[in-house]
Amino acid sequence: KKIGISKCNVVMIDTNEKFEVTGEYARYEEKDSTSFVTINMLLKQDMDGDTFFLTADTLFTYPDTSGKRILKTYHNTVFYKSDMQGACDSLMYHTKDSVIYMFKDPILWSDENQLTADSIHMTMKNGVLDKMFMHENAFIISKEDEVLFNQIKGRRMVGFFKDQELHKVDVFGNGLTVYYPREEDSTLIGVNKTECMNMTIRIDSNQIEKITFFEKPVAKLTPSDEMPSGGITLEGFIYRVGERPISPHDLFEKRRKKSGQ
């Protein structure tokens, strides 16, 4: 039947796509070149000198119409790369064009930014994050200091990355921002909360540099001596830094916690 099954300390290597998968159980079907690996599954792929690590309960791989591989993971997916980390229930990765789709409670961390939405897909260029598309209930949180957080919220967002940092965000529908402007000497001016249908935010060194508002913006600046001690948080704010993997060795522990084991 041209079916291969391997058990215990399984290693599967794809030399064309430069990835390696390890686990405790694997099955390969030669007739359609499909395979899956489960139990302590870990994927490692070279991305232009960096390494992408991913774990989940189960990994499926199969070829697309051009012969390039598509990877799908199911349940408790967690991944790590030096410039980004993420978690979701299930994920799809197209090796042909380096597009990653994240489904069901996706969360992504890039530098100081935490990004969430109902679903997320991102594109890579030369092995690094290029663009990210956040669909429905998009929310970006970044630390301003130990107690204050800059926030961007909207129905949909498109994020643009440069030199591995988020440098521009387009917000489409129900746009909300909370940010903390400062003087040139870094003295806190206060907190600015703005509502607007659509907006474009430009970011430099993880600080909001400029916001362009479209369609009847409403803004309110509260001076620092009048704002709440913990600042302002938008509805739905949850800072989930405890779920963020800090190294490849942290992946299995984060997956176990995600599954409730």
Side-chain angles (χ1 to χ4, degrees):
K1 295 182 179 180
K2 297 184 178 180
I3 295 174
I5 295 174
S6 299
K7 300 178 181 180
C8 300
N9 300 319
V10 178
V11 180
M12 184 173 66
I13 297 172
D14 188 312
T15 55
N16 289 330
E17 303 298 342
K18 299 181 180 178
F19 70 77
E20 174 183 303
V21 183
T22 58
E24 297 301 319
Y25 182 93
R27 178 186 177 101
Y28 176 75
E29 298 193 17
E30 186 176 334
K31 65 178 180 179
D32 52 9
S33 190
T34 62
S35 61
F36 78 87
V37 182
T38 189
I39 309 175
N40 295 325
M41 185 281 297
L42 178 67
L43 175 142
K44 294 185 288 185
Q45 184 182 26
D46 177 65
M47 287 189 173
D48 200 37
D50 199 357
T51 304
F52 177 75
F53 298 87
L54 178 145
T55 186
D57 293 351
T58 303
L59 169 75
F60 291 87
T61 76
Y62 57 92
D64 63 15
T65 54
S66 67
K68 303 290 283 186
R69 305 300 292 185
I70 294 176
L71 285 67
K72 287 185 178 180
T73 64
Y74 289 96
H75 308 312
N76 307 311
T77 302
V78 186
F79 61 84
Y80 176 91
K81 191 171 174 286
S82 64
D83 62 329
M84 67 172 182
Q85 302 81 44
C88 57
D89 178 74
S90 52
L91 176 147
M92 181 184 297
Y93 173 37
H94 292 251
T95 62
K96 179 181 179 180
D97 46 16
S98 296
V99 178
I100 298 174
Y101 297 87
M102 301 170 67
F103 305 101
K104 195 175 180 182
D105 192 26
I107 180 167
L108 189 75
W109 298 273
S110 174
D111 203 5
E112 293 299 319
N113 300 293
Q114 173 187 293
L115 308 101
T116 56
D118 287 0
S119 65
I120 295 174
H121 84 267
M122 49 190 155
T123 60
M124 313 280 286
K125 183 181 288 186
N126 298 323
V128 298
L129 192 56
D130 180 45
K131 293 180 185 178
M132 180 167 47
F133 302 84
M134 304 166 65
H135 310 285
E136 301 300 326
N137 299 310
F139 206 140
I140 300 177
I141 299 170
S142 64
K143 286 190 71 171
E144 171 65 24
D145 60 23
E146 290 305 311
V147 296
L148 304 178
F149 296 86
N150 292 318
Q151 300 152 68
I152 305 169
K153 188 177 179 182
R155 186 181 304 124
R156 296 186 299 109
M157 294 186 200
V158 180
F160 301 83
F161 290 79
K162 185 177 181 180
D163 298 327
Q164 301 184 15
E165 289 187 354
L166 185 66
H167 81 100
K168 178 185 159 187
V169 178
D170 289 333
V171 182
F172 304 97
N174 303 331
L176 284 166
T177 64
V178 168
Y179 68 100
Y180 299 86
R182 294 180 180 270
E183 302 282 7
E184 290 186 3
D185 63 358
S186 297
T187 301
L188 182 65
I189 296 173
V191 57
N192 193 318
K193 181 179 179 181
T194 304
E195 299 182 37
C196 186
M197 184 57 66
N198 302 318
M199 60 183 75
T200 294
I201 299 106
R202 295 193 178 274
I203 301 167
D204 184 28
S205 300
N206 293 308
Q207 299 295 318
I208 293 176
E209 183 180 47
K210 179 182 178 182
I211 304 180
T212 303
F213 301 100
F214 306 95
E215 299 181 38
K216 300 178 181 179
V218 177
K220 180 181 178 181
L221 175 65
T222 303
S224 58
D225 58 352
E226 297 179 17
M227 73 181 197
S229 59
I232 295 175
T233 56
L234 297 173
E235 183 179 356
F237 175 95
I238 305 175
Y239 191 52
R240 298 165 58 181
V241 68
E243 300 175 41
R244 183 177 189 172
I246 58 175
S247 74
H249 308 289
D250 197 30
L251 288 174
F252 284 111
E253 179 63 24
K254 298 301 182 185
R255 182 177 64 81
R256 282 192 290 269
K257 287 184 177 179
K258 189 172 177 62
S259 66
Q261 295 179 359

